Amino acid sequence: MEHLLPRDPNEGKNVILEIRAGTGGDEAALFAGDLFRMYARYAERQGWKLEVLSSNPIGVGGFKHVVAGIEGADAWRHLGHESGVHRVQRVPVTEAGGRIHTSTATVAVLAEPDPVEVRIDDKDIKMQTYRASSAGGQNVQKVESAVRITHIPTGITVTCEDERSQYQNKIKALRVLRAHIMERLTSEQAQEIAQARRSQVGTAERSEKIRTYNFPQDRITDHRLGRNFHNLPEILDGNVGSIIEALEENARARQMEELARA
């Protein structure tokens, strides 16, 4: 029956991976950095190409946000189920009293369309330039190379300041913008759009979660699967394949159930 399942229109597409620190201050930013490194190492193991498109690092090794493009034939199929709120429970490196803190980061995985699939007219965008700043607030350079692009019809705004060239920042920002517009266009109604976005990234509150990384108990719980996985350091080092495969299998099983009921 599996051959009867409808083909995913995003199958074979590259992806835009967005990770943003949620609740928890610097610890949430550190966790966002951990998640980015986990996916970066997983991508390396898969033989994919990863390129950072936009980032806002903090001085201690984390990110307030980081956006990357990942090129690989199976990138969407393997990473498409990673979207949602990820929660961490651990003693932060900055915690002198040894108390366990709970923090969150949000992950969104968007299929990256080809430029011909989503055409963006110059009249439909508003581009602003500004000086890029480092994590410490110091000007990286004195020219306005960073860009902020707003898509006027949808109100979607993206920024990029990683490159020294304003042109290169614009190119990267447009890649991210196309992915967001594609996500918007594939939803049938405004209500479905809002619901899809909430399921992607939620509000980053601690109560909204798809996965919990519990360091004291060396356990990762995927709440959609209702399963625990152990050896947390290995998983964060990029060995996340067992969870990803379980999610793919679970998604196929649910599709087959729906097909049988149809």
Side-chain angles (χ1 to χ4, degrees):
M1 183 182 286
E2 192 164 327
H3 68 282
L4 298 175
L5 294 177
R7 183 182 181 276
D8 187 338
N10 291 326
E11 183 68 32
K13 281 188 168 62
N14 298 325
V15 303
I16 300 293
L17 172 71
E18 297 184 351
I19 304 174
R20 298 181 185 275
T23 305
D26 283 352
E27 168 63 5
L30 287 170
F31 181 48
D34 290 338
L35 290 176
F36 173 69
R37 284 182 285 274
M38 178 181 76
Y39 292 122
R41 288 168 182 163
Y42 177 72
E44 183 180 1
R45 294 171 190 273
Q46 298 297 314
W48 300 337
K49 178 184 176 183
L50 183 145
E51 178 186 13
V52 175
L53 302 178
S54 177
S55 65
N56 187 356
I58 65 171
V60 290
F63 293 96
K64 291 183 179 179
H65 80 265
V66 56
V67 183
I70 299 178
E71 297 181 15
D74 299 319
W76 171 259
R77 178 162 60 87
H78 290 321
L79 294 177
H81 301 292
E82 291 300 293
S83 297
V85 176
H86 295 237
R87 182 177 72 167
V88 64
Q89 295 173 323
R90 65 183 174 189
V91 179
V93 293
T94 55
E95 171 57 55
R99 294 181 298 116
I100 296 173
H101 287 226
T102 298
S103 305
T104 64
T106 63
V107 174
V109 179
L110 312 173
E112 182 175 6
D114 295 326
V116 295
E117 292 181 273
V118 177
R119 294 185 179 275
I120 301 176
D121 292 331
D122 288 341
K123 65 179 178 62
D124 288 336
I125 62 173
K126 175 184 177 182
M127 189 176 89
Q128 300 168 287
T129 60
Y130 58 97
R131 293 182 183 181
S133 297
S134 68
Q138 308 253 334
N139 287 331
V140 172
Q141 51 190 329
K142 295 182 179 180
V143 297
E144 294 188 341
S145 61
V147 301
R148 178 183 297 107
I149 299 179
T150 300
H151 187 244
I152 298 170
T154 61
I156 297 171
T157 298
V158 298
T159 62
C160 185
E161 60 178 58
D162 284 37
E163 299 292 335
R164 290 187 176 274
S165 160
Q166 185 184 113
Y167 174 76
Q168 288 298 325
N169 280 326
K170 180 181 178 181
I171 294 299
K172 287 187 173 184
L174 286 173
R175 285 180 62 187
V176 179
L177 181 60
R178 285 191 189 93
H180 279 280
I181 293 173
M182 172 66 87
E183 181 193 31
R184 187 74 61 96
L185 292 175
T186 54
S187 300
E188 295 180 356
Q189 307 173 7
Q191 183 68 25
E192 291 178 356
I193 294 169
Q195 185 177 355
R197 193 62 186 162
R198 283 196 298 272
S199 68
Q200 279 268 311
V201 299
T203 62
E205 291 300 323
R206 293 184 178 92
S207 58
E208 293 186 0
K209 59 187 182 296
I210 63 165
R211 191 177 296 156
T212 296
Y213 302 70
N214 188 309
F215 275 73
Q217 298 180 18
D218 186 32
R219 183 186 71 223
I220 293 180
T221 302
D222 192 286
H223 302 286
R224 295 160 299 176
L225 296 170
R227 285 180 55 185
N228 294 326
F229 299 82
H230 296 278
N231 203 342
L232 199 155
E234 279 290 311
I235 292 174
L236 285 178
D237 193 43
N239 289 303
V240 68
S242 57
I243 302 177
I244 287 174
E245 290 167 11
L247 286 166
E248 290 180 50
E249 183 178 340
N250 181 64
R252 285 193 297 270
R254 290 177 61 182
Q255 283 184 302
M256 292 176 67
E257 288 177 6
E258 292 174 3
L259 187 62
R261 288 197 299 265

